[in-house]
Amino acid sequence: AQSVTQLDSQVPVFEEAPVELRCNYSSSVSVYLFWYVQYPNQGLQLLLKYLSGSTLVESINGFEAEFNKSQTSFHLRKPSVHISDTAEYFCALNKLVFGAGTILRVKS
Amino acid sequence: DAEITQSPRHKITETGRQVTLACHQTWNHNNMFWYRQDLGHGLRLIHYSYGVQDTNKGEVSDGYSVSRSNTEDLPLTLESAASSQTSVYFCASSEAGGTQFFGPGTRLTVL
C-alpha cells in the first residue's frame, strides 16, 4: 500500500521568512515524488519532482525539496517566502496518491 | 497550444440522476486520471487509464465509471448521483514518467 502524510494542514509565516512544508510517504514500490501548488479556484500546477538521481530538486521560483529515503520524507523548503506564495501545496507519490494538502499563508 | 479541458465547470444535479463529466486533452498523452478534491482529504484517485480501452479503479471508485475509447477523452460517469459525491473533480493527463497536467476542475453539487 502507498500513502502520503502531510504533517501540517496550515503553515502561517511572515514574508521573507523561511518555510518548510513536511511530507512523509510510505511505499513498497519505487517512488516518484511530486510537489504541486494550487492557487484559489485553479487546478494544480507541478512545482517540482523527484524521479531519480540527485536527491535535491529545485523549482524555478526558489522552492527546493530533498528526497530522504531513510526518513521516507520529501520536505519542501523555501529560504524566503513572498506574499504571492500563499497557496495550498500538495505532496504526491507516483501520481496516484496525494497528501491532504498544506495551506501556506504568508503574512506581511 | 496543447491543453486539458473539463466541462461543465459547474454542475448542480439531484440525487439519483446520472451525470457525466467530460475531460479532453490535446497533449496526446496515454495516461489520464480522475480525482476528487475534498477539504481535509486532498486529492483522491477515482479512476485512471494508461491507454485506449484501459481503465483502472482508484482509491474511491465506488459509484463512478469511466471509458476510454480514444486517446483524447476520459469521461467520468456518476451512475446515480449521491450527496456524498458533491465535490470538485479534477482530470489530469501525462506521459509515462512525465509531468502530470491538470484541468481547471468541475465543481459538482448533488442536492
Side-chain angles (χ1 to χ4, degrees):
Chain A
Q2 301 178 66
S3 67
V4 172
T5 303
Q6 290 184 241
L7 297 161
D8 306 294
S9 59
Q10 293 197 41
V11 173
V13 63
F14 284 103
E15 194 173 18
E16 298 184 5
V19 70
E20 178 180 80
L21 307 183
R22 296 179 292 170
C23 172
N24 287 92
Y25 69 89
S26 174
S27 176
S28 57
V29 300
S30 299
V31 297
Y32 303 106
L33 292 157
F34 306 81
W35 275 101
Y36 292 87
V37 58
Q38 184 180 34
Y39 298 102
N41 300 312
Q42 295 187 26
L44 277 70
Q45 303 171 38
L46 180 67
L47 195 58
L48 46 76
K49 61 184 176 183
Y50 169 78
L51 302 180
S52 64
S54 173
T55 57
L56 184 65
V57 290
E58 298 176 351
S59 72
I60 58 173
N61 56 355
F63 282 95
E64 65 177 31
E66 185 161 18
F67 171 61
N68 188 319
K69 188 174 182 179
S70 63
Q71 298 191 12
T72 60
S73 68
F74 191 57
H75 301 331
L76 182 69
R77 302 183 182 93
K78 189 170 185 179
S80 176
V81 295
H82 303 287
I83 295 289
S84 60
D85 292 324
T86 294
E88 190 162 17
Y89 293 79
F90 293 93
C91 183
L93 172 64
N94 297 342
K95 299 180 183 175
L96 301 180
V97 181
F98 283 72
T102 297
I103 296 173
L104 174 63
R105 298 189 191 279
V106 182
K107 302 177 288 186
S108 59
Chain B
D1 289 346
E3 61 178 356
I4 180 166
T5 57
Q6 293 182 234
S7 62
R9 295 293 313 279
H10 301 271
K11 174 78 177 177
I12 300 174
T13 191
E14 296 176 342
T15 56
R17 290 191 179 269
Q18 183 181 78
V19 176
T20 297
L21 309 183
C23 175
H24 179 81
Q25 52 98 1
T26 58
W27 297 97
N28 203 35
H29 287 159
N30 284 321
N31 301 344
M32 295 186 72
F33 309 81
W34 273 105
Y35 302 88
R36 59 179 288 175
Q37 183 178 27
D38 304 288
L39 195 63
H41 291 279
L43 273 71
R44 291 181 290 176
L45 183 65
I46 305 172
H47 284 284
Y48 59 103
S49 168
Y50 287 150
V52 175
Q53 303 300 335
D54 175 75
T55 60
N56 307 279
K57 293 181 178 180
E59 176 190 358
V60 291
S61 61
D62 287 349
Y64 303 93
S65 64
V66 294
S67 62
R68 188 87 179 274
S69 59
N70 59 52
T71 300
E72 295 80 17
D73 299 288
L74 186 70
L76 177 71
T77 297
L78 286 68
E79 305 293 346
S80 176
S83 58
S84 60
Q85 294 177 306
T86 292
S87 186
V88 180
Y89 292 84
F90 286 99
C91 178
S93 73
S94 76
E95 270 306 333
T99 298
Q100 202 171 27
F101 293 91
F102 284 81
T106 294
R107 185 174 297 276
L108 176 67
T109 302
V110 183
L111 301 176

